[in-house]
Amino acid sequence: MNTSDYSLAEPTAIIVMGVSGSGKTTLAQHLAKRLEIEFLDADDFHPATNKAHMASGKPLTDAMRLPWVEILRHRLDAEAAAGRSLSLAFSGLRKSHRELLRQSRGKKIFFHLTGAKALIAERMIARTGHFMPESLLDSQFDTLEPPSSEPDIISLHIEHTIEQLTEQALSHLHR
């Protein structure tokens, strides 16, 4: 299909979630490009203190995450109020954080990237220039509250190529 076949009928926040190293940023960027909408990486909204905390090998506490999620909620609200859609890479580990994002204006759809911890660890080791060390992967899985009962979340398995994941996500968006 052409890019023009994938327009959104109303302002929509496409939120690609999962543990660090699952491919959230890559998929969210691909979706933004295909849909010709803005891409946001939630990591860019972390205060420097949060990034330094994680870079030192310590997981964030919920108290450290909450102001960050509030900033993201306000941004989603502003974009929807302006009539704009966006694609957001966001860990979304806690259900309460996903609920906060749902409180913003506009339509939301979540894609949860799932996969084997060993595959994600391999990806984390191979990437460069990211503040999140592979040593925090266990804490990411421990913190994750699986979204099994949330109807606006679609699980995608990371064993597929990025092209396949993009097509799967686009297909779900346009059903």
Side-chain angles (χ1 to χ4, degrees), residues 3-126:
T3 300
S4 61
D5 294 333
Y6 290 116
S7 61
L8 298 169
E10 62 185 290
T12 304
I14 300 165
I15 302 164
V16 182
M17 60 168 283
V19 299
S20 186
S22 62
K24 300 179 297 289
T25 300
T26 304
L27 180 57
Q29 287 172 327
H30 275 75
L31 291 171
K33 183 176 180 183
R34 289 287 298 275
L35 293 165
E36 298 178 346
I37 59 176
E38 184 176 8
F39 162 73
L40 296 175
D41 189 336
D43 286 346
D44 294 339
F45 294 82
H46 270 300
T49 54
N50 281 11
K51 287 183 178 181
H53 190 83
M54 289 182 280
S56 72
K58 296 181 240 167
L60 295 178
T61 65
D62 284 339
M64 296 171 86
R65 286 185 188 103
L66 186 58
W68 168 68
V69 178
E70 284 289 347
I71 290 167
L72 294 169
R73 182 178 66 82
H74 289 294
R75 180 63 184 268
L76 293 184
D77 204 36
E79 294 297 321
R84 292 187 296 262
S85 295
L86 60 87
S87 178
L88 173 68
F90 169 68
S91 56
L93 300 178
R94 293 275 194 220
K95 183 176 183 179
S96 62
H97 298 157
R98 299 186 297 267
E99 290 297 332
L100 274 174
L101 294 188
R102 286 184 179 105
Q103 292 174 14
S104 63
R105 297 177 196 179
K107 181 179 176 181
K108 260 74 81 227
I109 186 164
F110 293 79
F111 291 105
H112 178 211
L113 296 179
T114 64
K117 189 186 289 186
L119 175 58
I120 295 170
E122 284 176 26
R123 290 179 175 187
M124 288 181 80
I125 291 167

Side-chain angles (χ1 to χ4, degrees), residues 129-140:
H130 199 280
F131 62 87
M132 177 71 84
E134 185 266 335
S135 62
L136 288 180
L137 185 56
D138 284 338
S139 74
Q140 290 269 294

Side-chain angles (χ1 to χ4, degrees), residues 27 30-31 34 161-171:
L27 180 57
H30 275 75
L31 291 171
R34 289 287 298 275
T161 66
I162 189 59
E163 292 78 14
Q164 291 169 324
L165 289 169
T166 302
E167 291 304 322
Q168 288 172 15
L170 290 170
S171 176

Side-chain angles (χ1 to χ4, degrees), residues 138-149:
D138 284 338
S139 74
Q140 290 269 294
F141 274 97
D142 292 344
T143 303
L144 177 64
E145 295 174 352
S148 56
S149 64

